[in-house]
Amino acid sequence: MSVATHESGSPAQTTEPVLELTGIGKHFGAVQALAGVDFRVHPGEVVALVGDNGAGKSTLVKIMSGVYQADSGRMRVEGREVHVHSPSAAQSLGIATVFQDLALCDNLDVVGNLFLGSELGSNAWMDEVAMEKESWRLLRELGAKIPTVRIPVASLSGGQRQTVAIARSLVGSPKVVMLDEPTAALGVAQTAEVLNLVERLREQNLGVVLISHNMADVQAVADRIVVLRLGRNEAEFRTVDVTTEQLVAAITGASDNVVAERHARRVPPATETGEVEA
Amino acid sequence: MAPVSTARLGRLAPPLALVVIWLVMTLINPRFLSAVNLTNLMLQIVAVGAVAVAVVLVLLIGEIDLSVGAVSGLGAGVTAVLSVKQDWPAVLAIIAGLLTGALVGLLHATIVTRVGVASFVVTLAGLLTWQGALQLVLGETGTVNLDDPQLVAIAGTFLSPALGWLIAAVITAAAVAAVVVHLRADRPRRVWPWVLAGTVAPVAVLVFNADRGVPLAVVVFLLLLAGGDVVMRRTTLGRHAVATGSNASGARRAGIAVDRIRMTVFALASVLAVTGGILAASRLLAVNQSSGSTDLMLTAVAAAAIGGASLFGGRGTVWSALLGALVVGSLANGLDLLGASSAIRLIATGVVLALAVGLDTVAHRAERQPFTEHSRPGR
Ligand SMILES: Nc1ncnc2c1ncn2[C@@H]1O[C@H](COP(=O)(O)OP(=O)(O)O)[C@@H](O)[C@H]1O
Ligand SMILES: [Mg+2]
């Protein structure tokens, strides 16, 4: 399997990738979740990672965030080869993750969740005042609407919880933020708010990895779209060059027939930007 | 009913229950509220209270420790034997007892974290094992009478009235200072705990001084509570413990060494249990085979749950132990005064426990249903 390369278009593409993975493999027992997957994200770029259920998206995110270790392949942060053996190692490398289940602690308040694992203070002693101030600053920066930072997150709405989880990823000034299905459980208005947050992250020149099932969301905010299928790179597109039909075809694997044929007929290969091969 | 108020009801129920029990007991027998009886009540609850603190800590990380009673007996037994049979000085004997607790706690936690056996089962096995170990430690006679004056003094000492007032003055002054600071802060904070502490302290000293004075054992218990509260609310250990009980996998992904937290909390809890055991031994003037009884464990677990520590993990404070021990202790003490049989006492405690855990379950469910415009319950 090979993936089409493109002429560099957006400014992000001309910079060095902030995070780059090559030849990543991972299996769970007999299940080959990932095989030879390449992935990269540049500063100030939103890369969408799409694929059918079980394509390996969450597994790839968990490898990048140190929850799982890859069986094979390399990972580079700003060109330097790294080994991410734990979530805290990923954090200290500047890789932050908003997990699909948000990983919030319901019994802790917003401040407690935002700084969980990276509390402010000296040694074991926490500085609650500093954390509360910093919490408000983070939330304001994101334009987030949270009534108070001193209530348990259990009593927040779904969108507010997602906001808290995203704000939490910004504690410790990361270089890359990964969001696993951030809008899956949200209504229309709350989804729009989360997409706004994603654009704020890009404005701050962070590399953003967005996993989503929703093609409309992906096409609304992503600069580049990487399609995984059955644990392999299936295709890669620049968002401006791709139609929803092409995306869906790549995701479902229909690319080797109808869509590919249409594609081949429509445009000469030289200007091809999102070529798909089986 | 709005879920928010259900959750709040869950938190208000334990203090309300205490007030109701005190009112009813006093109405039936005014002697309940006498200085002598209230002092006795406090002396009765310190041991169970200390063990209940241990239970609260373990509940906070989402585990359970059924061995706290047996461990408290074993630790106290080690202390007693070293003091009486080996003539160790009191301080060293106590340290050895506490260390025994720490080792036992670490052993339990190692099996829980490394082998992956549920803490329920590990500590159930521990309960049996350490009860047996206590019998071995105590030897043929099955009982060791304390003769060390310092060990006896822990529960037998009452502070002079002046010293009692000094303590009350310090607490009240600290409370006033805290309230002033909190009210001046640019963001409002809860002041009622300080207001409560500042008012209760002088009243309590007044009552104690009308009898024999402030019991040293009560001071030890309160120091334990205050220390535990600071650790749980102000340090990363406490924060990470709550996170572990709340969402262990989330806590792990936040970079927290969850297993290390479990080891620390289990060890700490066993040390607290031994502290309770030593307090009990000092009051009894002996350690015997019933020192590590299941009754102590059951009462402590009941107290923790009644006081508001959630069996679902992540919710509760060390003050839950005080509150729960007061509820359970007041019931027992009051019913004793009335000449009620132990059958009645067991039934009353059981009913209160069932009510408390029922409320906890309702509050837990309510908290999981956020009250927003999209998910407003109702029909
Ligand atoms: N912890 C695990 N244990 C076993 N199999 C797993 C585990 N995590 C993922 N898998 C398997 O790996 C494949 C990819 O899963 P996943 O990364 O969750 O896909 P996606 O997020 O794209 O839906 C699936 O076949 C899934 O069943
Ligand atoms: Mg997934």
Side-chain angles (χ1 to χ4, degrees):
Chain A
M1 152 132 349
S2 69
V3 172
T5 47
H6 333 254
E7 69 277 34
S8 34
S10 70
Q13 306 271 325
T14 60
T15 59
E16 180 187 42
V18 58
L19 177 64
E20 183 172 27
L21 291 87
T22 43
I24 296 294
K26 174 76 186 173
H27 65 85
F28 297 103
V31 179
Q32 189 74 34
L34 295 174
V37 170
D38 298 334
F39 187 81
R40 69 181 193 288
V41 56
H42 298 258
E45 183 190 32
V46 178
V47 182
L49 187 58
V50 301
D52 214 346
N53 266 335
K57 306 179 297 287
S58 292
T59 303
L60 186 60
V61 162
K62 283 180 177 162
I63 286 172
M64 294 191 270
S65 60
V67 176
Y68 296 152
Q69 275 69 54
D71 301 330
S72 56
R74 297 162 160 232
M75 185 160 157
R76 286 195 187 80
V77 172
E78 293 179 323
R80 198 163 44 86
E81 180 149 358
V82 294
H83 296 277
V84 185
H85 43 76
S86 72
S88 49
Q91 278 164 22
S92 51
L93 284 168
I95 304 168
T97 314
V98 180
F99 292 98
Q100 192 161 1
D101 66 351
L102 303 187
L104 295 174
C105 292
D106 278 344
N107 299 111
L108 292 179
D109 62 16
V110 175
V111 176
N113 271 287
L114 286 182
F115 288 91
L116 189 61
S118 41
E119 289 82 2
L120 302 181
S122 45
N123 299 323
W125 204 258
M126 298 186 293
D127 185 345
E128 286 286 350
V129 177
M131 287 196 282
E132 190 171 325
K133 280 189 183 143
E134 184 66 10
S135 298
W136 282 115
R137 195 188 65 72
L138 275 170
L139 292 170
R140 247 194 322 268
E141 207 171 275
L142 286 172
K145 300 182 187 103
I146 303 279
T148 156
V149 293
R150 286 298 181 193
I151 45 167
V153 297
S155 40
L156 296 178
S157 73
Q160 289 170 331
R161 291 164 63 84
Q162 188 71 51
T163 304
V164 171
I166 293 175
R168 158 152 105 190
S169 71
L170 298 180
V171 171
S173 316
K175 301 173 187 126
V176 179
V177 175
M178 298 186 284
L179 302 106
D180 194 351
E181 304 269 5
T183 60
L186 300 184
V188 177
Q190 294 180 329
T191 297
E193 267 172 40
V194 168
L195 296 183
N196 286 344
L197 293 187
V198 170
E199 284 175 344
R200 288 253 160 79
L201 300 181
R202 173 169 52 198
E203 285 161 22
Q204 293 173 19
N205 208 36
L206 298 173
V208 181
V209 180
L210 173 71
I211 294 185
S212 182
H213 261 109
N214 187 320
M215 290 311 115
D217 292 355
V218 165
Q219 289 177 299
V221 292
D223 300 304
R224 192 154 53 84
I225 303 173
V226 173
V227 184
L228 288 187
R229 199 172 110 72
L230 303 174
R232 292 169 187 278
N233 286 99
E234 175 78 12
E236 185 174 324
F237 307 99
R238 283 196 313 164
T239 309
V240 287
D241 300 330
V242 74
T243 65
T244 310
E245 289 71 31
Q246 285 172 307
L247 266 180
V248 171
I251 289 169
T252 57
S255 48
D256 46 351
N257 40 64
V258 196
V259 180
E261 280 167 23
R262 270 180 51 83
H263 226 226
R265 259 185 282 124
R266 196 164 52 95
V267 276
T271 57
E272 214 35 43
T273 53
E275 177 179 309
V276 173
E277 292 176 17
Chain B
M1 185 189 292
V4 176
S5 64
T6 314
R8 187 166 301 152
L9 188 66
R11 275 190 296 276
L12 279 180
L16 265 175
L18 185 62
V19 170
V20 170
I21 290 169
W22 278 39
L23 274 179
V24 172
M25 292 302 173
T26 310
L27 284 179
I28 301 177
N29 187 344
R31 255 198 317 137
F32 179 80
L33 222 49
S34 67
V36 186
N37 190 55
L38 289 181
T39 304
N40 283 342
L41 170 62
M42 287 309 291
L43 283 170
Q44 284 156 8
I45 69 160
V46 286
V48 170
V51 179
V53 176
V55 175
V56 168
L57 294 191
V58 176
L59 285 181
L60 268 179
I61 60 166
E63 307 283 344
I64 183 78
D65 189 343
L66 299 180
S67 74
V68 280
V71 173
S72 86
L74 176 65
V78 168
T79 299
V81 166
L82 289 177
S83 162
V84 174
K85 296 193 179 161
Q86 310 289 325
D87 275 328
W88 282 33
V91 175
L92 289 185
I94 289 175
I95 291 176
L98 295 177
L99 273 178
T100 307
L103 289 178
V104 166
L106 285 177
L107 177 63
H108 290 164
T110 306
I111 300 175
V112 170
T113 57
R114 292 289 143 80
V115 188
V117 185
S119 56
F120 173 80
V121 182
V122 173
T123 57
L124 182 60
L127 184 162
L128 300 169
T129 310
W130 310 125
Q131 264 182 357
L134 172 62
Q135 292 184 15
L136 287 182
V137 167
L138 291 177
E140 298 279 281
T141 55
T143 179
V144 173
N145 294 318
L146 296 184
D147 53 10
D148 184 292
Q150 282 173 302
L151 283 182
V152 173
I154 298 173
T157 302
F158 295 84
L159 306 186
S160 71
L163 193 50
W165 282 119
L166 182 66
I167 292 175
V170 168
I171 293 177
T172 306
V176 170
V179 169
V180 169
V181 168
H182 282 192
L183 289 182
R184 280 225 197 116
D186 45 352
R187 295 181 220 291
R189 301 193 174 274
R190 289 187 316 166
V191 292
W192 69 260
W194 284 110
V195 174
L196 190 68
T199 26
V200 168
V203 174
V205 169
L206 189 70
V207 172
F208 285 133
N209 281 353
D211 184 37
R212 285 153 284 177
V214 178
L216 179 63
V218 171
V219 176
V220 170
F221 179 43
L222 289 180
L223 283 176
L224 226 64
L225 287 170
D229 185 53
V230 167
V231 169
M232 295 318 283
R233 285 192 312 119
R234 296 266 173 252
T235 71
T236 50
L237 170 64
R239 178 65 47 89
H240 295 175
V242 174
T244 301
S246 202
N247 180 353
S249 104
R252 190 176 288 113
R253 281 176 279 158
I256 293 171
V258 170
D259 283 347
R260 208 161 64 207
I261 296 290
R262 292 193 174 122
M263 301 283 271
T264 312
V265 170
F266 267 100
L268 218 66
S270 291
V271 169
L272 279 165
V274 173
T275 311
I278 293 173
L279 285 169
S282 173
R283 184 148 184 276
L284 261 176
L285 304 177
V287 176
N288 56 39
Q289 290 186 353
S290 67
S291 291
S293 74
T294 359
D295 199 39
L296 174 59
M297 178 274 287
L298 292 174
T299 315
V301 172
I306 289 172
S310 174
L311 302 173
F312 298 100
R315 196 150 46 85
T317 74
V318 295
W319 302 106
S320 317
L322 172 63
L323 203 51
L326 272 174
V327 169
V328 175
S330 302
L331 265 182
N333 174 297
L335 291 172
D336 247 12
L337 275 187
L338 300 180
S341 65
S342 76
I344 301 292
R345 182 175 61 83
L346 285 174
I347 291 171
T349 311
V351 169
V352 171
L353 175 62
L355 283 175
V357 175
L359 251 170
D360 176 37
T361 309
V362 174
H364 179 74
R365 213 181 301 135
E367 256 189 18
R368 260 137 244 243
Q369 291 170 353
F371 187 67
T372 64
E373 63 268 69
H374 299 300
S375 62
R376 191 187 297 273
R379 22 186 174 154

